[in-house]
Amino acid sequence: MSDALAAHGAHGHAHHPAQQHHFDTLDQQHEAATLGMWLFLITEVLFFGGLFLAYMLYRVWYPAAWSEASLELNVVLGGVNTAVLIASSLTMAMAVRGAQTGLRRATMGWLVLTMVFGLTFLVIKYFEYAEKIEHHHVPGPTFAFPGPNAGPAEIYFSLYFLMTGLHATHMVIGFGILSVILWMAYKNRFSPEWYTPVEISGLYWHFVDIVWIFLFPLLYLVDRAHHFA
Amino acid sequence: MFPRISLFPAQASTMAAQVDLLYLFIVGVTAFFGILTTIVVIVFAVKYRTNDPLKVGDRIHGSIPLELAWSIIPFIISIVIFWWSAVVFFDLQRPPDQTLEIYATGKRWMWKFQHLDGQNEINELHVPMGRPIKVTFTSEDVLHSLFFPAFRTKADAIPGRYSSVWFTPTKLGEYHLFCAEYCGTKHSGMIGRVVVMEPAAYQAWLSGSVPGMSLAARGERLFSELACNTCHLDDGRGRGPSLVNKFGASEQLASGGAVPVDEAYVRESILRPQSKIVAGYQPLMPTFQGLVSEENVMALVEYVKSLRATAQAAAPAAAHAESTAPGAPQESR
Amino acid sequence: MAGHISPKGTYYAIFGILMVLTLVTVYVAYQPLGAANFPVAIGIAITKATLVILFFMHAKYSSRLTKLFVGTAFFFLAILLGLSLTDYMS
Amino acid sequence: MDTTVTAPRVTYLNHEHTLASWLLTKDHKRIGILYMIVVTFAFFLGGIFASLIRLELTTPAGDLLSADTYNKMFTMHGVAMVFFVLIPAVPAILGNFVLPLMLGAKDVAFPKLNLISWYLFTIGFLFTVYALVAGGVDTGWTFYTPYSSRASNTNVMATGLGVFITGFSSILTGLNFMVTIHRMRAPGLTWFRLPLFVWAVYSTALVMILGTPVIAITVLALAIERFLHFGIFDAALGGDPVLFQHMFWFYSHPAVYIMILPPMGAISEVIAAFSRKSIFGYAFVAFSSLAIAIFGFLVWAHHMFVSGISVYSALVFSFLTYAVAIPSAVKTFNWAATMYRGAIWLKAPMIWAIGFLGLFLVGGLTGLFTAALGVDVHLHDTYFVVAHFHYIMVGGAIMGYFAGLHFWWPKITGRMYSDIWAKVAAIIVFTGFNLTFGPQFIVGYLGMPRRYYAYPEEFQVLNVLSSAGASILGLGYTLIAIYLVASLFKGERVGANPWHATGLEWTTQSPPLPHNFEKQPVVTEDAYEYTKREIKVV
Ligand code: HEA
Ligand code: HEA
Ligand code: CUA
Ligand SMILES: [Cu+2]
């Protein structure tokens, strides 16, 4: 850990405006911030992990209900949304790259694109939810599901709404974060010496993408073959 | 002046002595380590004490052999405790063959026991001495736990599942029966007593108490009241499979695979018939969820059990065969 | 600041692979592979996630510590799922 | 402390005075004190609940409180003590205060986040207090479903929300500390020169980051189940109520190590400082903290041996439970060995530390009983378990907290409390404690279930003893409050290093400067090098 050693250089020289007083160098600050974000993402993994546990248990217990309930989901919308999110991850990566290389306009452009994709995702999700509400697939007193597997199917939809709802909440928060980053980019706060906020927002955004990468096959693609082969 | 305080609850079952012995063994081991460490600390604190704030201790940094010794020795001792307690645990979990079956349901805030001959009791349980007894139970609302301190056994009552405890009473008398899992306002009132009687007295009690219909007979009546018998014909020619000789066997499922036909499976077949479909049959059976109480489900289960025309012990014995050998984890729930 | 700057090409390539994998996972889901459907779907998802972590999130170019943390997250997730299954699978 | 010490001119306490300068502070030392205020309040609240519990239990009949009130009492007692006292006590109070000092840093890595954590904590606490004022909550601190999701008609939502929010405070604190330890160490302060308290806090932070999110999602799922009638744990739909227990204990068992690891760290500091010796087996003590943190995640279902888990699973978890006891054993023996041939200065913190050793031993060793499958079937949900965890949490962790608090009090306030009174309090607490919880082992083995507000008469004698002990205990805690507060006004002023201890925190003035050190400290030697150098007397 020689970085900590090296980090404490001589004082007194002019600091970068973004540097906070309790750090010795901008590098130290950058490393602390990225490390902090990674740690936060560990937390997020286990946050969703609890739901994955419930998902796994009931999928094993009720394969039939799982497969029937999953058929109620719209693979086309889900698939398109997957593509949209992956695209937004690309644009986010490009935005970070823009910041790294000091291209302010490019950074802003890619950020805007990312946010547009994010919004698209949420809009599509909105239509999916509306459809579920219409079909009485929201768990609770109004829940209706034909056939004998109504009980476990209700568990499935409970998990569906919890997982995708939590994911969508993360998207909304991510949208808010990116708005701030966009504003900061507009104010020309970033440079090849200092782009940490863009980078750690990117980490967050990619994480949200990864969650969806798992949710899509787990929720939408349960046992489709059985019904269409 | 001083009332006598006993250190152990009554030892009233075959398992109680085993559990107490293990307990005493752990008391011995832990007392040894506890007292040893305490003495060492006190001796050092007294022997090396000083009031001179500038004095320093000797330069000692550690010792690998010591570290290894005090990691490995406690570990070995732990393994001994673990092994012994696992053996006792297996005994506690695996009822012997030929148990006397009793059904129970917990609901806020009482325990209801159903004897095979049809007697019902609330918060009281009469059992004969010397016979292994197995209580199978579930809960109608929240979690409860059926706890017999004198028999050193307990298990949680879980809605949607069957649990069981078993014991062989060895001492006449009345003992506590507690609800050990928190269940709301009168959790501490969900208590009762278990009365261990001479077998003869037990028989007398059975016949003396309200002569009801036997549990299986009640099940049989429900079987026709609920029109189960319209589908489940004994000759197997109905829309549903024949249930004769089903209990204890293993059932082939339409989804592939097999399940043992035990209490939990029969219960599930009644309340969630579609979750497991018997091979060769259509998923026609309607659910009886909400139509039969847990107590009546138990009567139906007992009826299905009673349909075993032949050898009573054949199948369940297989499940309990090596009951004391640890490492045989095929407990079915 | 000494961050790794990936060439644009890398990003586009990863994007392409991710899209292809998405199509593959949908395609495979409709193939009757029986018990293999689930592991294949999860396998593809893990591959995709790994690509995102390594390239988009720059884990490939990050310190050993960062890699360790990523591993930690999934290790403990595996404990949560795996040890719970000792109850449910037996 | 023969010479009169003059107070330093500028300290973190006096450089700003306004209320806003406290409520908006980003100084880790002030934040530590903010935590101390809320936690102390929560402790007295929890203590009042405990007093009512013990008062009710002096007679077998339920006469003082109603059954529902009693149920609310132990629930609120457990929630307050676990989530608002013990989890934050050592890491958030002492950790916040001394961690950056020990590292030679100006602050934690994210000072703003640190303040936000305190606000989240306080808001979570206020939600819980609201739940209390609005009628209480009665699920037990374990919130088991389906009671919590379906049956209870008390303020489960508000309490759950309180726990959820506080959880985030815990996560962010853990994250902050971990980054701080990785990135903010002074030049020369390599990993193996770190004080053991830092290792303990690091391990704790790991548990906070990995475990807390699972309780958060569990409580969230519970709230949604209760409020929106979703059905993840609902047996009526085919759900599994026991799943909740798996998810709850996946956090709550590791959480017990959140509670004990930092006090263990403080004990390492105190024992080394008052034996004037380096810790015996430094590396073993350091790594046993990490081992406890990691293995602590492998044992959660030992709370569920009779909850209907499979026999096979029970075996695995029992075995792993024994495995995780070993690092604790290693620590205990190393502490004892550290005292060997030391120069033991029996000041108040050391007395508290020795008390910790004794009570932690009993608590830990009785964990071996409950971990033993065959015995736990009988012991589960009896007072034996209650006694086990009070020995370890009150006798161990709270004692450890007081050891640490007495150790660093002069650093925090610049003043010394009365050594005599502190020793008297330690002895009162030790005695009262054993009287309170010792009899509970017996009454537990006799079969008295926990969470009972009325009980069979034969248990009365032991319960009366226990209640008597609790009043002595309460007296002891009250005494601490009195002499510590008194020391703020009358206590002798102390210099930088009243204990002649090693460690960077003792090289700066007491109370420290707003930014901790006059100039960046540089470390050139291992921790606890008492024997190698002249100890500077200030
Ligand atoms: C700070 C909190 C804390 C800590 C550190 C511990 C530590 C341990 N706990 Fe405890 N526990 C609780 C808090 C804690 N516990 C709480 C709150 C509950 C109840 C929750 C509820 O239901 O409300 C509980 C319940 C509980 C149970 C469930 C009981 C039941 O409900 O049926 C079990 C079962 O295994 C258990 C075991 C252990 C063990 C083995 C340790 C070990 O880590 C202890 C290790 C320490 C030692 C072993 C002592 C030192 C060692 C030696 C001197 C050497 C000799 C050692 C050997 C021979 C091995 N605990
Ligand atoms: C850190 C954790 C912590 C701490 C410090 C304590 C402290 C105490 N606890 Fe408890 N306790 C728990 C954690 C803790 N507890 C938990 C998790 C449960 C389980 C809850 C559940 O089942 O859901 C529990 C449950 C519990 C029970 C079981 C209730 C039941 O199952 O029915 C009992 C019974 O004796 C008890 C007693 C006490 C006592 C006497 C103290 C004493 O140490 C408290 C002493 C403190 C004071 C008394 C306050 C300070 C002094 C004053 C305010 C002055 C005035 C008072 C007097 C002079 C008396 N606690
Ligand atoms: Cu029923 Cu407690
Ligand atoms: Cu535990």
Side-chain angles (χ1 to χ4, degrees):
Chain A
M1 289 290 121
S2 57
D3 43 8
L5 260 174
H8 292 266
H11 256 87
H13 61 84
H15 285 311
H16 188 280
Q19 186 182 331
Q20 291 165 305
H21 85 274
H22 62 292
F23 289 111
D24 294 314
T25 65
L26 211 50
D27 258 353
Q28 188 193 22
Q29 185 174 344
H30 172 79
E31 280 174 10
T34 38
L35 197 63
M37 185 41 102
W38 278 107
L39 285 172
F40 182 71
L41 296 184
I42 296 184
T43 284
E44 290 274 28
V45 168
L46 281 132
F47 191 61
F48 281 96
L51 293 178
F52 281 111
L53 171 62
Y55 172 92
M56 199 174 61
L57 166 64
Y58 293 127
R59 177 171 178 152
V60 171
W61 275 12
Y62 304 115
W66 239 234
S67 116
E68 278 172 33
S70 150
L71 287 183
E72 299 290 326
L73 300 193
N74 189 328
V75 180
V76 176
L77 291 187
V80 169
N81 250 352
T82 311
V84 168
L85 262 196
I86 292 178
S88 83
S89 248
L90 170 71
T91 53
M92 188 69 230
M94 296 303 284
V96 175
R97 192 176 182 281
Q100 283 178 320
T101 46
L103 304 170
R104 172 166 162 268
R105 308 263 331 242
T107 310
M108 288 173 59
W110 288 116
L111 279 174
V112 169
L113 256 180
T114 311
M115 291 166 70
V116 168
F117 281 130
L119 212 54
T120 314
F121 178 93
L122 288 172
V123 169
I124 293 180
K125 202 76 228 157
Y126 167 79
F127 282 112
E128 277 194 83
Y129 278 177
E131 197 184 307
K132 299 287 158 313
I133 295 171
E134 205 173 297
H135 291 157
H136 295 286
H137 286 157
V138 182
T142 60
F143 183 81
F145 193 82
N149 285 323
E154 189 167 346
I155 300 181
Y156 172 90
F157 278 106
S158 299
L159 282 169
Y160 168 81
F161 278 105
L162 262 176
M163 291 169 125
T164 57
L166 214 55
H167 177 262
T169 311
H170 277 79
M171 295 284 298
V172 173
I173 293 170
F175 193 86
I177 294 175
L178 290 193
S179 315
V180 176
I181 299 295
L182 183 62
W183 181 79
M184 287 171 81
Y186 172 73
K187 289 277 170 185
N188 209 1
R189 296 281 172 79
F190 305 124
S191 64
E193 286 78 49
W194 179 248
Y195 56 85
T196 309
V198 194
E199 177 160 351
I200 62 175
S201 317
L203 289 178
Y204 174 85
W205 191 265
H206 295 307
F207 169 80
V208 178
D209 182 25
I210 289 174
V211 172
W212 184 260
I213 284 178
F214 283 95
L215 291 187
F216 176 57
L218 288 182
L219 292 171
Y220 290 78
L221 301 178
V222 181
D223 206 20
R224 292 262 161 185
H226 182 75
H227 295 271
F228 290 89
Chain B
M1 163 88 217
F2 291 106
R4 250 192 49 227
I5 301 168
S6 52
L7 297 179
F8 294 91
Q11 275 188 355
S13 75
T14 47
M15 289 306 300
Q18 281 198 49
V19 173
D20 287 353
L21 188 64
L22 171 58
Y23 174 74
L24 282 175
F25 172 70
I26 309 178
V27 169
V29 170
T30 52
F32 171 77
F33 277 103
I35 293 171
L36 180 82
T37 317
T38 311
I39 289 178
V40 165
V41 167
I42 292 175
V43 167
F44 288 171
V46 172
K47 186 158 174 218
Y48 302 115
R49 74 180 187 285
T50 168
N51 270 328
D52 175 3
L54 296 183
K55 223 177 124 188
V56 294
D58 282 7
R59 209 172 140 70
I60 305 169
H61 279 283
S63 145
I64 303 278
L66 265 180
E67 300 286 351
L68 288 180
W70 62 47
S71 316
I72 292 171
I73 295 173
F75 185 70
I76 292 171
I77 293 172
S78 313
I79 298 293
V80 174
I81 302 178
F82 164 72
W83 188 259
W84 186 348
S85 70
V87 171
V88 173
F89 184 63
F90 265 88
D91 286 353
L92 281 167
Q93 297 293 309
R94 295 280 149 87
D97 305 339
Q98 309 282 6
T99 51
L100 174 66
E101 306 253 343
I102 294 172
Y103 290 90
T105 38
K107 58 184 156 214
R108 296 194 290 159
W109 288 275
M110 61 175 204
W111 293 102
K112 180 162 181 183
F113 296 94
Q114 307 188 71
H115 294 262
L116 289 188
D117 289 346
Q119 292 80 1
N120 289 340
E121 303 183 74
I122 286 180
N123 288 345
E124 223 175 35
L125 175 62
H126 288 77
V127 290
M129 191 171 83
R131 253 194 89 180
I133 290 153
K134 180 179 167 205
V135 188
T136 304
F137 54 97
T138 185
S139 159
E140 289 200 352
D141 38 41
V142 300
L143 299 176
H144 303 277
S145 192
L146 188 55
F147 178 26
F148 300 101
F151 306 145
R152 311 286 189 277
T153 190
K154 74 159 74 70
D156 280 9
I158 303 159
R161 284 197 200 176
Y162 279 157
S163 322
S164 67
V165 295
W166 80 271
F167 47 85
T168 307
T170 54
K171 230 166 92 184
L172 299 178
E174 291 185 7
Y175 307 103
H176 288 298
L177 171 172
F178 292 128
C179 173
E181 183 62 67
Y182 176 67
C183 54
T185 310
K186 289 198 201 135
H187 165 56
S188 51
M190 196 165 158
I191 59 178
R193 53 188 192 131
V194 48
V195 184
V196 179
M197 312 170 88
E198 291 285 4
Y202 175 69
Q203 282 309 326
W205 175 82
L206 275 184
S207 38
S209 69
V210 213
M213 209 186 284
S214 85
L215 196 57
R218 222 176 78 215
E220 186 169 11
R221 202 177 70 192
L222 285 165
F223 202 71
S224 59
E225 275 176 14
L226 294 166
C228 315
N229 55 2
T230 55
C231 300
H232 295 285
L233 307 180
D234 285 356
D235 55 9
R237 300 226 308 262
R239 283 180 287 172
S242 156
L243 300 180
V244 176
N245 270 335
K246 266 282 138 67
F247 196 87
S250 138
E251 185 64 274
Q252 220 46 50
L253 295 183
S255 58
V259 284
V261 179
D262 55 11
E263 287 95 345
Y265 171 74
V266 176
R267 178 183 180 279
E268 190 186 32
S269 294
I270 299 169
L271 299 180
R272 279 198 306 274
Q274 315 288 339
S275 58
K276 298 198 178 77
I277 302 298
V278 180
Y281 288 86
Q282 293 303 309
L284 290 174
M285 176 163 161
T287 172
F288 288 84
Q289 180 103 54
L291 300 177
V292 272
S293 66
E294 290 288 355
E295 284 157 36
N296 285 343
V297 172
M298 281 167 174
L300 283 166
V301 169
E302 185 54 31
Y303 170 64
V304 172
K305 256 188 189 174
S306 73
L307 290 175
R308 274 178 296 178
T310 47
Q312 216 238 3
H320 304 313
E322 293 98 34
S323 60
T324 50
Q330 60 308 59
E331 169 87 335
S332 55
R333 285 186 283 122
Chain C
M1 215 161 59
H4 174 87
I5 301 175
S6 304
K8 284 183 192 169
T10 313
Y11 288 143
Y12 290 128
I14 296 299
F15 173 71
I17 300 174
L18 289 173
M19 284 308 210
V20 170
L21 284 176
T22 305
L23 291 176
V24 171
T25 194
V26 174
Y27 173 79
V28 171
Y30 286 91
Q31 304 311 308
L33 305 181
N37 271 107
F38 180 68
V40 169
I42 286 296
I44 295 177
I46 290 177
T47 315
K48 284 163 77 179
T50 312
L51 290 175
V52 174
I53 292 172
L54 286 182
F55 295 98
F56 283 175
M57 297 170 87
H58 297 173
K60 187 163 188 273
Y61 318 103
S62 301
S63 61
R64 290 225 321 273
L65 185 66
T66 308
K67 287 178 185 145
L68 183 71
F69 281 168
V70 176
T72 306
F74 290 99
F75 178 68
F76 281 89
L77 182 63
I79 288 178
L80 170 63
L81 302 182
L83 272 183
S84 301
L85 284 189
T86 63
D87 178 15
Y88 289 112
M89 291 302 173
S90 62
Chain D
M1 275 119 298
D2 32 19
T3 53
T4 40
V5 184
T6 48
R9 276 213 352 268
V10 184
T11 73
Y12 80 99
L13 288 170
N14 68 10
H15 76 120
E16 284 174 314
H17 282 291
T18 58
L19 187 63
S21 77
W22 278 90
L23 291 181
L24 299 177
T25 184
K26 285 183 272 167
D27 182 344
H28 65 99
K29 302 183 286 306
R30 287 190 163 204
I31 293 174
I33 288 179
L34 290 178
Y35 270 109
M36 194 193 292
I37 293 167
V38 181
V39 167
T40 307
F41 183 71
F43 180 68
F44 276 89
L45 203 60
I48 289 168
F49 297 141
S51 313
L52 288 170
I53 292 174
R54 282 317 328 165
L55 217 53
E56 168 63 56
L57 293 178
T58 45
T59 58
D63 32 24
L64 175 66
L65 311 168
S66 75
D68 281 328
T69 313
Y70 181 84
N71 294 344
K72 287 172 186 164
M73 284 304 128
F74 69 71
T75 303
M76 306 295 298
H77 167 69
V79 169
M81 288 299 199
V82 169
F83 294 108
F84 299 99
V85 176
L86 212 41
I87 287 179
V90 182
I93 299 174
L94 300 178
N96 248 320
F97 196 93
V98 297
L99 182 74
L101 288 170
M102 284 181 156
L103 297 177
K106 293 196 200 82
D107 208 320
V108 293
F110 311 114
K112 232 183 280 169
L113 199 64
N114 204 11
L115 182 65
I116 292 173
S117 303
W118 180 77
Y119 273 101
L120 286 175
F121 173 71
T122 306
I123 292 169
F125 182 60
L126 289 179
F127 265 104
T128 313
V129 170
Y130 162 77
L132 165 73
V133 176
V137 55
D138 75 341
T139 57
W141 82 281
T142 46
F143 301 107
Y144 276 9
T145 53
Y147 186 75
S148 57
S149 56
R150 292 271 181 268
S152 173
N153 49 16
T154 54
N155 294 293
V156 182
M157 290 290 282
T159 317
L161 205 60
V163 170
F164 183 81
I165 297 173
T166 308
F168 278 94
S169 150
S170 194
I171 290 171
L172 296 177
T173 303
L175 186 156
N176 215 336
F177 286 177
M178 220 153 147
V179 175
T180 307
I181 297 170
H182 271 290
R183 293 285 178 245
M184 313 283 285
R185 278 170 287 128
L189 192 51
T190 57
W191 282 92
F192 288 99
R193 286 177 175 173
L194 287 173
L196 287 163
F197 184 72
V198 177
W199 279 91
V201 169
Y202 185 85
S203 310
T204 311
L206 192 69
V207 182
M208 287 171 159
I209 287 172
L210 289 165
T212 319
V214 179
I215 189 84
I217 194 69
T218 311
V219 170
L220 189 69
L222 171 65
I224 288 180
E225 178 134 357
R226 199 178 154 83
F227 190 57
L228 300 176
H229 302 287
F230 277 34
I232 294 179
F233 310 115
D234 187 357
L237 301 178
D240 183 14
V242 179
L243 175 64
F244 176 87
Q245 297 178 27
H246 277 297
M247 291 169 67
F248 179 83
W249 290 114
F250 180 84
Y251 165 73
S252 292
H253 179 80
V256 309
Y257 296 122
I258 296 181
M259 303 180 220
I260 200 70
L261 278 169
M264 283 172 157
I267 292 300
S268 298
E269 297 300 318
V270 171
I271 290 189
F274 291 94
S275 303
R276 327 207 142 266
K277 249 177 104 250
S278 58
I279 277 280
F280 195 88
Y282 173 95
F284 287 88
V285 179
F287 279 114
S288 62
S289 291
L290 267 183
I292 289 174
I294 292 167
F295 291 130
F297 279 97
L298 306 177
V299 305
W300 75 82
H302 66 208
H303 296 271
M304 302 164 58
F305 288 152
V306 299
S307 302
I309 61 171
S310 76
V311 174
Y312 170 67
S313 186
L315 279 184
V316 172
F317 279 103
S318 171
F319 180 80
L320 291 170
T321 302
Y322 283 106
V324 75
I326 304 304
S328 299
V330 169
K331 274 188 192 291
T332 311
F333 294 132
N334 277 305
W335 288 323
T338 301
M339 292 168 70
Y340 175 67
R341 300 184 73 85
I344 297 173
W345 195 22
L346 290 171
K347 296 297 263 187
M350 188 62 174
I351 302 290
W352 283 94
I354 291 174
F356 165 95
L357 283 181
L359 300 181
F360 170 75
L361 260 174
V362 179
L365 290 170
T366 51
L368 303 179
F369 289 71
T370 50
L373 288 165
V375 179
D376 188 57
V377 171
H378 179 62
L379 293 179
H380 176 69
D381 271 345
T382 65
Y383 261 83
F384 191 97
V385 175
V386 174
H388 154 67
F389 68 71
H390 281 91
Y391 260 88
I392 226 166
M393 301 210 293
V394 187
I398 297 275
M399 277 286 221
Y401 167 62
F402 281 126
L405 188 66
H406 283 83
F407 184 49
W408 284 303
W409 185 262
K411 179 56 60 184
I412 296 172
T413 62
R415 306 236 189 197
M416 187 58 88
Y417 48 82
S418 152
D419 190 57
I420 291 293
W421 280 113
K423 284 175 178 163
V424 169
I427 290 164
I428 294 179
V429 166
F430 187 86
T431 319
F433 179 84
N434 280 301
L435 189 56
T436 311
F437 296 105
Q440 293 186 0
F441 285 121
I442 301 169
V443 85
Y445 199 76
L446 287 174
M448 178 168 164
R450 55 192 284 211
R451 298 169 173 175
Y452 264 33
Y453 103 114
Y455 54 86
E457 262 169 36
E458 72 232 48
F459 300 145
Q460 183 172 12
V461 178
L462 291 164
N463 272 294
V464 169
L465 284 179
S466 180
S467 299
S471 26
I472 300 179
L473 191 53
L475 214 67
Y477 287 135
T478 314
L479 185 57
I480 305 174
I482 294 174
Y483 66 73
L484 283 186
V485 171
S487 80
L488 291 179
F489 304 99
K490 305 217 143 154
E492 228 174 322
R493 290 194 186 278
V494 296
N497 192 357
W499 308 121
H500 315 301
T502 61
L504 289 179
E505 78 268 32
W506 300 109
T507 61
T508 182
Q509 64 179 41
S510 313
L513 288 166
H515 294 304
N516 294 351
F517 298 97
E518 254 164 75
K519 61 181 204 304
Q520 175 65 56
V522 175
V523 179
T524 53
E525 60 179 21
D526 287 352
Y528 318 117
E529 284 292 0
Y530 285 95
T531 44
K532 216 164 96 181
R533 60 161 192 185
E534 282 292 295
I535 295 175
K536 219 173 30 196
V537 189
V538 188

